[in-house]
Amino acid sequence: MNPSISAAERLARIQLNAFLYFRADWLERLIEIFGSAQEILRQDAQTLAREANLNPSTAAHLLRDAFAINPQEEWDKTAALGGHIYVPEDEEYPQSLRNIKEAPIALYVLGRLPAPEQACVGMVGTRKITPYGRRAAAKLASDLAQSGVVVVSGLARGVDSECHAAAVRQQKPTIAAIGTGVGRCYPPENRALEKAILQYGGAVVSELPFNKPPNAFHFPRRNRIIAALSQPVVVVEGEIKSGALI
């Protein structure tokens, strides 16, 4: 952890991160304007709107969402699962993720992230997996894992689950970037798979608050995390309008 970030500022970042209707780089811009997340949360909606050139309704919603969560509870619940919440200033925050335009201002991590020099390959695809897709996903992910490559996917039904499961069968690390908070498992039938991911040295990561449910817009948003944590990304199978193509 970076000691230059105070505990109070870290908790304020966790609160600010709960406003999901801004891109992460817009939240970073707000922090630049006010000097800290703590200062943002000291403003009323009118001042926030005026100083940051926001719609008053947007400013009000930002403050509402930020104060709707208890950041210390977020920290404690994540820690109770053996996890951490990192900010970009932390040494443990992945450099590849820090370098993208929309780096999450708070990253919830269960398990162990790979070392910076570790080769990682993203594997994504349709939830409506075909027998071919199932065979291809399992074969590719298994071969990669055996070769010492960390498979990165999204723990969704279909291709994602097959890829994680193939790595787990090899007892190798795999990373799941999920579209819910780390306090939830979605789909629920993947609880055993999620447990195995952590058992074999992998990680479950999310930028969403601890108990956030699987809303539709969370999944395209988390795709940038899969891409950032990976060198190449393999699309195993998907329709023309598949979300995997994002």
Side-chain angles (χ1 to χ4, degrees):
M1 297 285 183
N2 188 331
S4 67
I5 301 296
S6 70
E9 177 63 14
R10 186 180 298 275
L11 293 177
R13 300 272 188 97
I14 292 169
Q15 282 187 271
L16 194 61
N17 181 69
F19 184 59
L20 301 178
Y21 297 93
F22 264 6
R23 293 183 347 192
D25 55 327
W26 294 358
L27 293 175
E28 284 284 3
R29 177 62 180 146
L30 281 182
I31 293 172
E32 288 178 12
I33 291 171
F34 288 93
S36 69
Q38 294 174 82
E39 192 61 30
I40 292 170
L41 299 180
R42 293 187 185 110
Q43 310 303 314
D44 59 39
Q46 287 184 329
T47 305
L48 183 60
R50 183 178 66 252
E51 296 296 324
N53 196 26
L54 297 178
N55 180 291
S57 176
T58 300
H61 280 101
L62 185 154
L63 294 173
R64 181 199 65 189
D65 287 1
F67 286 106
I69 69 165
N70 181 321
Q72 188 63 56
E73 284 187 6
E74 294 282 302
W75 181 270
D76 292 344
K77 288 177 180 178
T78 304
L81 295 180
H84 302 274
I85 306 175
Y86 297 122
V87 297
E89 291 84 354
D90 288 330
E91 191 176 312
E92 298 88 345
Y93 191 99
Q95 183 64 43
S96 60
L97 195 55
R98 189 185 291 125
N99 289 341
I100 68 172
K101 181 180 179 182
E102 295 181 52
I105 68 168
L107 186 70
Y108 294 65
V109 178
L110 305 182
R112 295 194 296 275
L113 291 170
E117 66 275 9
Q118 173 67 57
C120 298
V121 171
M123 297 192 67
V124 297
T126 181
R127 290 171 171 80
K128 302 173 184 176
I129 194 168
T130 66
Y132 157 78
R134 199 175 299 279
R135 292 193 304 272
K139 172 65 174 168
L140 285 169
S142 181
D143 287 354
L144 285 167
Q146 282 184 318
S147 300
V149 175
V150 173
V151 172
V152 183
S153 195
L155 202 64
R157 293 185 177 101
V159 168
D160 291 13
S161 294
E162 287 295 327
C163 293
H164 289 305
V168 161
R169 283 194 294 271
Q170 302 297 327
Q171 299 185 9
K172 299 292 187 181
T174 176
I175 301 173
I178 61 174
T180 67
V182 296
R184 291 175 178 253
C185 181
Y186 181 81
E189 64 265 24
N190 274 352
R191 282 194 179 90
L193 179 56
E194 183 181 67
K195 183 177 179 181
I197 288 171
L198 298 174
Q199 178 183 350
Y200 293 118
V204 176
V205 304
S206 176
E207 67 178 324
L208 301 169
F210 185 85
N211 275 320
K212 210 66 181 173
N215 295 334
F217 75 92
H218 295 165
F219 295 92
R221 178 175 178 146
R222 67 91 202 267
N223 284 0
R224 79 189 195 287
I225 297 178
I226 295 175
L229 294 175
S230 309
Q231 280 84 52
V233 175
V234 178
V235 180
V236 174
E237 180 178 46
E239 298 174 350
I240 295 297
K241 294 184 178 180
S242 172
L245 298 181
I246 296 172

